[in-house]
Amino acid sequence: MIWTTALALTISFVSAGASPPPVAPDFAWWTEARFGMFVHWGLYSEAGSVWKGKFLPGWSEWMLNRKKIPPDEYHAELTPRFDPVDFDADAWVRAAKDAGMKYIVITTKHHEGFALWPSAAGEQDIATTHFGKPKSQGGRERDPLRELADACKRHGIKLGFYYSLLDWSHPDYLPRREWDTRSIDGAEYPRYTTYMRAQVKELLDGRYGEIAVLWGDGDWEHGAREHTSDEIVAMARALQPGILVNDRWSQPGDYATPENKIPDAGPARPWETCMTLNNSWGYARDDHEFKSAAAVLRNLADIVSKGGNYLLNIGPDGKGRIDPESMSVLSSIALWMKTHSTSIHGNGRAPLPVPEWGKWTMAQSDEGTATLNAHLFSAPKGGVIQLAGVMDEPLSIRVPGNEFAVGKDSLRRDGADLLVQLNADALEAIGKASTVDTTPHAVIEVEFASMPRVLTAPEILGDDSIFVDGIVLRLSPPPAGAVIHVTTNGSMPTLETPPLVRDGQRGYSVALTRSATVRARASWNGQLSSAETTRRVDQVELLPASVCDALGASAKSGLIAKILLGEFEVVPGSKDFDAVIDLARVDSIRIPENAPLDRYAVQIRGVIETRLPGVYRFEISSDDGSELWIDGRLVIDNGGLHGATSKFGDIALAGGCHEIEVRMFESVGGEALSLRWRVPFESDFTAIPAKAFRRSLGQ
Ligand code: H79
């Protein structure tokens, strides 16, 4: 058993080594862009959310599902009608470009299953419409993707392809909707994935030139294995070096894609919020609830201030036209962009606290100058904009669009903070913009000769929260000329707290041998930073270990897995598995081979061997919920119904053997389970070697 696995591993390494290593995802243009256009266009655009004469509010691209329309009937009705004679790729691309959007992502195939390009892989594509049919068959022989790709190239706009893994129409896609009348006999999901790979290959094989993004969607009905996600993503990277792959291919991908929401704080990894302009992605005839340009631009500033991208959607109609309401929003955005794009493109997080009046974005130029951009959604209290802890003097203050003037004489200092005082005219102009939604917000650009030194609270590095004998906490160094004040007894650091002395080897650090609450602030020129940092660290005892029997180890290697069938919404308890008599052996924490696709729970139990005493940090990833227990203690609670989610937990372990138990459950859709650890004195997480696991202690 062990040998077969080892052999299989060797073979896969060899074959993987044969192809050249993939080019790293190219984020440079994407980070600079910050703003893109999402286009939802398909058969649903022709329907416009109207079925049998009745308008259905909500997402038009979901009409087949929401109206429970049999796919054959849906296609029979809409395929003959789809003839977008007014489609003008140049007009779309110009509208995007003028609005400051640097890339376009278009739905090449949505859940309805209709391919927007002539696809040799299947039967439901543009070549079955009059618009796409070859001229020899009396059609117009037009390919929207080709026209769009050409227009994007002409205008210097990057192009990305959205592709739905979910497909309500393909005969091999499973599960079928319950109102689908076609026979299910002979339907095979693997054949659907072959179709999917063939289509993605057509999209990326170069016929449409450079494709910058592959935007998957609808991955939740199956997991990565079933979708052959690894194969698809590897193919995409091989065909389009540097392509960005989103996180909806049943795997984490290159960036996160929150939908219709802006995260409170941007995640650490690259991310992009996609959002509708009205209440539907696809064209919806009677939906006139459009966001104002001002609202869109506030969203954009918010997203950029958190280091993300904004993919704003439009839904052209069945004739290929962008409706006048969307066009008018795009033109207002374009007007604002003419004078304000410098506060968006190439911008990101600023090292300043979130202000009460709006958002800060920041950009650095190639020449090294840096600009802090105040996006003023409302008038600041007392007309004062605070640049907390900014130690350098700005070169200039500019108000693009000249809504009002702000001279250098409006600058003052308050301790470590730099203040800009706005006059009455300025406040009136800002106030007007914030109450009239038709007027986008004002921006004040504060430019510096180089990255300004900012006196923020010192950062306490690392993620330690427990230690055994002692611990050294390192702190980020203060800007040149500033000092750090640290207390370890929970009291607020002041100027009287002696400055922390830098150690040649350790840098700035505090050594602790007892539980402590560490608080840190910085000061400059006798002025304390307004912000502070706190970290609680607790001294704990090592959990004693049992002696592992080295001789008996190989005979007892592996862990014991039990599977419990049923519908779960929380992680079941240990006792729930007592009645299960079927045992499987696994050599790591993962879903056993004999698990069904959906609706089950797994328990994996055994012993884990630790070589060194000290604090172990574990990371469990699962879809859906899971728990990690060591020596009867809950180390990580990653419970609940969710997609693939990682959680961390710390525990201090003596060297030797400890009881380990992982329980997880899978409701429906994607499934995943893995466990990694970080051993004492190491800084990286690693896979737990198979030899660390035993079924039981070998006495
Ligand atoms: O293409 C857009 C959506 O159609 C697609 N992603 C974006 C970019 C998407 N499909 N599904 N979802 C997002 C999440 C599922 C939403 C649902 Fe519903 C809630 C499905 C059923 C309930 C919305 C409301 C659709 C039907 C009713």
Side-chain angles (χ1 to χ4, degrees), residues 300-378:
L300 180 58
D302 185 8
I303 288 168
V304 175
S305 80
K306 295 166 182 167
N309 278 25
Y310 195 23
L311 190 62
L312 181 67
N313 182 72
I314 56 148
D317 68 14
K319 288 282 160 275
R321 295 173 298 223
I322 303 176
D323 65 278
E325 286 160 302
S326 300
M327 273 312 290
S328 128
V329 175
L330 290 176
S331 331
S332 302
I333 295 173
L335 199 63
W336 187 87
M337 279 291 174
K338 272 192 182 153
T339 41
H340 294 82
S341 66
T342 48
S343 66
I344 298 295
H345 297 139
N347 276 245
R349 293 183 174 96
L352 297 173
V354 180
E356 113 280 344
W357 40 256
K359 303 289 167 186
W360 282 110
T361 63
M362 184 180 75
Q364 233 187 325
S365 72
D366 293 341
E367 297 76 46
T369 62
T371 308
L372 288 165
N373 299 301
H375 294 256
L376 293 151
F377 301 168
S378 63

Side-chain angles (χ1 to χ4, degrees), residues 60-81:
S60 81
E61 75 284 2
W62 270 72
M63 187 180 75
L64 181 153
N65 189 284
R66 295 191 302 139
K67 277 279 179 191
K68 303 200 187 320
I69 307 167
D72 287 347
E73 194 183 332
Y74 180 88
H75 287 269
E77 165 70 19
L78 295 174
T79 309
R81 278 170 46 190

